[in-house]
Amino acid sequence: MAQATETFYEVIRRQGITRRSFTRFCSLTAASLGLAPAAAPRIAHALETKPRLPIIWMHGLECTCCSESFIRSAHPLAKDVVLSMISLDYDDTLMAAAGHQAEAILDDIRTKYKGGYVLAVEGNPPLNEDGMYCIDGGKPFVEKLKAMAADSLAVVAWGSCASWGCVQAAKPNPTQAVPIDRVIRDKPVIKVPGCPPIAEVMTGVISYITTFGRLPELDRQGRPKMFYSQRIHDKCYRRASFDAGQFVEEWDDEGARKGYCLYKMGCRGPTTYNACSTVRWNDGVSFPIQSGHGCIGCSEQGFWDNGPFYDRLSNVRQFGIEANADRVGGVVAGVVAAGVVAHAAVTAVTRLTKKR
Amino acid sequence: MDINTPNGFRLDNSGRRVVVDPVTRIEGHLRVEVNVDANNVIRNAVSTGTMWRGIELILKGRDPRDAWAFTQRICGVCTGTHALTSVRAVENALGITIPENANTIRNIMQLALYVHDHIVHFYHLHALDWVDVVSALSADPKATSALAQSISDWPLSSPGYFRDLQGRLKRFVESGQLGPFRNAYWGHPAYKLPPEANLMAVAHYLEALDFQKEIVKIHTVYGGKNPHPNWLVGGVPCAINIDGAGATGAVNIERLNLVSGIIDRAVTFTEQVYLPDLKAIASFYKDWLYGGGLSGRSVLAYGDIPEHANDYSPASLLLPQGAIINGNLAEVQPIDLKDPAQIQEFVTHSWYKYPDEAHGLHPFDGITEPNYALGRNTKGSRTDIHEIDEGAKYSWLKAPRWRGHAMEVGPLARWVVGYAQNKPQFREPVEKLLHDLNVPVGALFSTLGRTAARGLECQWAAHELRRFQDKLLASIKAGDLATAYTEKWTPDTWPAKEVRGVGFTEAPRGALGHWVSIQGGKIDNYQCVVPTTWNGSPRDPAGNIGAFEAALLDTPMADPAQPLEIIRTLHSFDPCLACSTHVMSPDGQDMATVTVR
Amino acid sequence: MSGATRTNGSSRFRGVVDLAGVQTDRGATIYVYEAPVRVWHWVNALCVAVLIVTGYLIGAPPPSVTGEASAHFQFGYIRFAHFAAGQVLTVFFMMRIYWAFMGNRHARQIFYLPFWSATWWKGVWWEAKWYLFLTAEPKKYVAHNPLAHIAMFFTVTLGNIGMIITGFALYSEDAGRDSWQARLFGWVFTLFPNSQDVRTLHHLGLWVIVTFTILHIYAAVREEIMSRQTMIATMISGERQFRDDRDD
């Protein structure tokens, strides 16, 4: 319980981080934020004197599945994260205050912790209709998002909405919902995709920052490498069936009961980077494939438009046609083959008539 | 200005305007404005849904077997209930049946959602409207222990336990970083609990936070993950294998035991923590019986939890179906979701456009054309609203009506319908609770009544969970392992002509319906009418007000600057605004008419 | 390649139209395809055959085998054959690129299109007419006719490059983020962040190649019979023999 009053600095010192590394972290952070060198001591001061890292958790167009997932975390427990690791100063879903009292917290954090709080975003901003498809405090959400991002230390994009756009950005994207890095250009954005992300991945990212005193290493697409550098397929316990050539052919068939590979049922495990097959869900109880359903690829960009979910091949939508590659290609090849036969026939006839 | 609404409420917007935006501890984005009179009593209420995503348009042209995944993302709090509604709608349209085991497993998942959602709602979204966290600091741990032990056998009740917890809370508060408890209404006169009850409730707030993550493991076993488990048209995706090779990868005895164990704990937690807390808290708020709104007049329930697979008739449904109009409990009217005269949506006060806005449209014939425009009396600008003009369009929610009546849906509506139908499983717990609290039946129609119905339903759901899990075990024992039917899985087995279907459930928040039409293997039209659209609806052309607005009326506020009473009543509905999705055109300008003929 | 094959001031084609200044002698035989080109062609053909069959099966696997997973590696072998054929194809394609620099001028033909040559465009038009039965006789060509040239450039050269890039990018997913394949081809996932899209492209590429193969084999057989020079034999011996001595 003692850590409740420990400062961020004390916590990372206890984790074995030296004073020197700490000051270096502060200046690197300042540099990465494009702040003047003078900002480094201010960041250091904030982290040394403030017990817990302030987190502002904002909601745009979303379904709150990320918040729900977050509170499912088994290690660390969500209550320990909130009581001991971070200071969750603003979160629409959990906070006691509402209305003006809630809005006042945002202003207060922006001024008091300038450059020293993490902005966590669940959902994304719609840009159509001047942003008024998501109104917060009478104003477009996108304005509030930009304002809070401007003074933050770093931004965490929770889930596929904030990271990629997710369901409301699926074609035809009626509200023109965009991933948050489309409107937040000047801050490091840590993308934690998934619909929702795994609970322990979410708390893992937060506790990585508070424990090691730095932002996690990100991959090419801005995701923490530690959780998103391998495909579900790579560590799937049904991989042996895949290599053997044993597939579920139909729901609830012999293969389904024996736990064969769900590849033919459209499983997106081979194209999905996430920790589901290793960390698993809800304290390691299961993950979609273990419970008999293929992965739908919910942590991948644009996965909604790579359907149908139950077909191995995605549908190609071009020129008003919608079919998968085999159907498109099969038709094209078939037409060409038929053309070739016809052409050969005409050639033969022409040749014969000429000879005569 | 003084108006009497057709559904029997008096509105007066002459007094001081109070705005609450954002309303927090809900799902999605909601704004509420009220007018208070000289005595700070609410005389007018305006509820504005402030978000809109257009998922129904996105569904157009997609594979109907995928629709559950899209609609599931309408809401991550009532996760799964939209998916269930969707697979039912698609099965209804295509004439697909499911095995008995699949029905049982779906019921188990839906009931697990009730238990989870009601517990999380009560403790994490609603409790802080009744419980003063700061007051808990001055509680006497010994007295808290005595209180806890007097109301329940729950073992975590020693003085040491409460002292320890109080110590942690103290350090937390003394750190100066109050996190989610920051800037709230602590010390507000509308808080009535003694410090000991507050401390007990805070302890259970944290215990419930730990426990809720256990309940959802039922979803994880049968659906692979939570939030957003997986579903399947034609059954459930999880296969059962008890004896054969590969049983470790399917639903086997270990998985069944895991679920059974969680169900036992859910029953215990509900009966030893949730219900005693509910009663204890309610006993201090017996005088605060505001917020009844529509609940005593017009309530609607579609019913859910079919005992028998593929039978969605009222006789098969364990949760009641029916509508009560004008408080006439003696007559529960039958409902038909396909009847164009019954459910209709209006847009006179919604940011949508109809050719003829005086009339409503049944979801099968739904038109949705966005029309974001503010009324003349709006204070502020188009992108900076200070005070909204409820005389014009003012919400992203449509206004659904049943035979022209504004209806309340949700746990209280379900329990009132069940009570009116004289079903003992609803009547008896209600009467016992009323007796224990020594309040009349009328007390049911209040903010507290809504909260109490949710608690009773949680207990009912926990026991039904047990029963359905046992039913599954019995079925497996009898040799039935089927979990999915696949004869009509591929699109070439579907009718070529247009087919329509309706799926309905009772989401934790209330009646939920999906209307789908399928043509040529693709979704031609998809419409959802969701609980929060019923409850949070704006006004209709006749001037009827919705359940949120009705419930806020006549509530006295201790201090209009501290809107605790407003959020308390709103929270009792468990609002879910992300559900209020409707369709629009890609460029936000043109009309996206989605009509079914 | 410009006007040298024309008689002065005339637009009439003379002799071989695709090579500047070369006049064919009577009964001419020209050495066109050097050994590396021929070897590459047939190895490439073999690899493509394997890649098409296995590639299709990777998208639509054969019926499940029964028994324990540990006793089988059927799908693994299919994938292995695909990867092995892909690697061989890549190595030979690199060799082919090398030979474009080292070999004779015909070895370079499929790597570029003489976009600015009016003669060449006229050849395209003439050859199109020949295939549309609008002209009685084709022209004579030492290497690929202009229409074939276009097909070779787009489907063989660009097609191979596209399939190699997407193929190795997909392979890098198996090989891991730290593999050389990931370092060399990982940028594909910057262009297409969801690797399902890369699969869709790669799979569409399969059908482009299938379609090309149908046309290629037909055209080769037909030209062998109908044109004024040898075709299939040329890809075996390297020698192109002309069947008549007329100018064009």
Side-chain angles (χ1 to χ4, degrees), chain B residues 207-230:
Chain B
E207 286 173 36
L209 193 55
D210 286 348
F211 183 62
Q212 54 84 25
K213 75 178 199 316
E214 301 300 310
I215 307 162
V216 301
K217 288 177 181 170
I218 296 173
H219 280 192
T220 320
V221 167
Y222 296 123
K225 73 198 254 267
N226 175 287
H228 296 334
N230 291 308

Side-chain angles (χ1 to χ4, degrees), chain A residues 174-246:
Chain A
T175 58
Q176 211 205 324
V178 295
I180 60 165
D181 59 355
R182 281 274 300 279
V183 295
I184 302 171
R185 300 287 200 173
D186 55 347
K187 295 286 164 181
V189 176
I190 303 165
K191 294 185 171 182
V192 187
C195 189
I198 300 170
E200 286 79 14
V201 165
M202 299 178 78
T203 52
V205 168
I206 293 290
S207 51
Y208 182 99
I209 300 172
T210 56
T211 304
F212 300 119
R214 58 183 148 91
L215 304 180
E217 205 175 314
L218 306 180
D219 71 0
R220 191 187 290 277
Q221 300 185 29
R223 306 171 292 197
K225 274 187 179 170
M226 55 187 167
F227 296 121
Y228 292 95
S229 54
Q230 275 189 316
R231 296 172 301 169
I232 286 169
H233 189 57
D234 294 321
K235 290 279 154 62
C236 182
Y237 80 105
R238 299 192 182 192
R239 179 65 191 254
S241 296
F242 172 81
D243 288 329
Q246 297 180 321

Side-chain angles (χ1 to χ4, degrees), chain B residues 26-74:
Chain B
I26 59 164
E27 199 297 323
H29 298 270
L30 175 68
R31 175 189 181 95
V32 164
E33 299 186 15
V34 300
N35 293 87
V36 292
D37 66 13
N39 300 317
N40 289 338
V41 176
I42 297 173
R43 295 300 180 197
N44 178 40
V46 181
S47 119
T48 301
T50 50
M51 71 182 286
W52 185 79
R53 296 194 295 162
I55 289 176
E56 291 149 315
L57 176 65
I58 291 165
L59 275 165
K60 210 170 142 61
R62 310 240 177 202
D63 190 320
R65 295 169 299 177
D66 291 356
W68 68 261
F70 286 80
T71 56
Q72 179 160 248
R73 269 66 183 187
I74 287 173

